[in-house]
Amino acid sequence: SRVHAEVVVEATQGTLAEVLPLNVSIVDRSSTGHTFVNDQQPGKGNVMKLSAGDVLHFGVEPLRYTLRWRPMLLSISSRFSAEELQRLDATARKTGLFLTPDW
């Protein structure tokens, strides 16, 4: 199967000025290849929560991927209108970006 897994990153909850790790999970979508998290199989269709440092690999592929969390922080201008800030907030939540008025 070409699609081994789906990685899901949940949108940020709460204030975007508080930089906290995002909730990340993986779902095994492969009927033949399998997905492995720290050498454990979540099982087809099952959701497994991921943490920084988890090692992922797929099927018989020898490559291994380590999950790292690196926050992206965008400094925003206090000159934005309320409407602009609302649009920026919505976009930031979808992309995992954190916002700060500090430079």
Side-chain angles (χ1 to χ4, degrees), residues 3-8 25-29 35:
V3 178
H4 281 282
E6 175 183 359
V7 175
V8 179
S25 58
I26 193 164
V27 181
D28 187 350
R29 298 287 185 209
T35 298

Side-chain angles (χ1 to χ4, degrees), residues 17-89:
E18 187 177 2
V19 179
L20 298 170
L22 301 174
N23 291 322
V24 180
S25 58
I26 193 164
V27 181
D28 187 350
R29 298 287 185 209
S30 178
S31 60
T32 58
H34 304 300
T35 298
F36 299 88
V37 178
N38 301 322
D39 293 321
Q40 301 292 315
Q41 289 180 293
K44 185 176 179 190
N46 293 330
V47 177
M48 179 179 266
K49 186 173 177 168
L50 299 175
S51 299
D54 282 346
V55 177
L56 312 173
H57 72 278
F58 308 96
V60 296
E61 184 65 41
L63 294 175
R64 293 180 181 261
Y65 305 89
T66 303
L67 182 68
R68 301 274 186 242
W69 184 76
R70 302 287 187 262
M72 293 182 293
L73 190 62
L74 177 64
S75 181
I76 57 173
S77 172
S78 59
R79 297 181 185 150
F80 282 129
S81 69
E83 183 180 301
E84 289 171 315
L85 284 173
Q86 189 174 14
R87 278 198 319 268
L88 186 57
D89 183 272

Side-chain angles (χ1 to χ4, degrees), residues 92-103:
R93 286 182 191 282
K94 291 177 186 174
T95 60
L97 190 67
F98 293 91
L99 305 175
T100 180
D102 299 328
W103 288 92

